[in-house]
Amino acid sequence: TSGNPQFFFGSDSAPHLRERKECSDGCAGIFTPGPLAISLLAEIFDREDCLNKLENFVSRFGAISYDLPFNKEKLLL
């Protein structure tokens, strides 16, 4: 909830090979079923009075970090 662009959302539903997820140097992540993740994050950001930082955290900072285009679709909470 800091707004620091070095921190961004990544779920453990990413398409890593099982060998990369289940090893001593595996990809980081906390498994949260996809449909629930954004709702839970919205609740946390709202509780911390920083809901205005949610879009950057879940959509923009990761894209910037990996030099990817922004999503064009929008999600209505």
Side-chain angles (χ1 to χ4, degrees):
T1 60
S2 71
N4 184 330
Q6 292 179 321
F7 300 101
F8 50 87
F9 176 66
S11 73
D12 198 28
S13 57
H16 301 297
L17 296 175
R18 187 176 191 137
E19 302 86 56
R20 290 291 298 138
K21 285 183 178 250
E22 298 177 358
C23 64
S24 62
D25 63 339
C27 301
I30 299 171
F31 177 73
T32 304
L36 300 177
I38 299 300
S39 295
L40 292 171
L41 287 169
E43 184 178 330
I44 292 166
F45 275 65
D46 187 43
R47 194 177 319 142
E48 295 296 316
D49 197 29
C50 59
L51 197 54
N52 62 321
K53 296 178 182 177
L54 180 63
E55 183 177 10
N56 284 333
F57 180 72
V58 299
S59 298
R60 298 188 179 276
F61 292 161
I64 292 167
S65 180
Y66 289 108
D67 197 27
L68 296 170
F70 293 143
N71 288 323
K72 293 184 182 192
E73 294 90 20
K74 298 284 182 183
L75 178 65
L76 181 63
L77 298 175

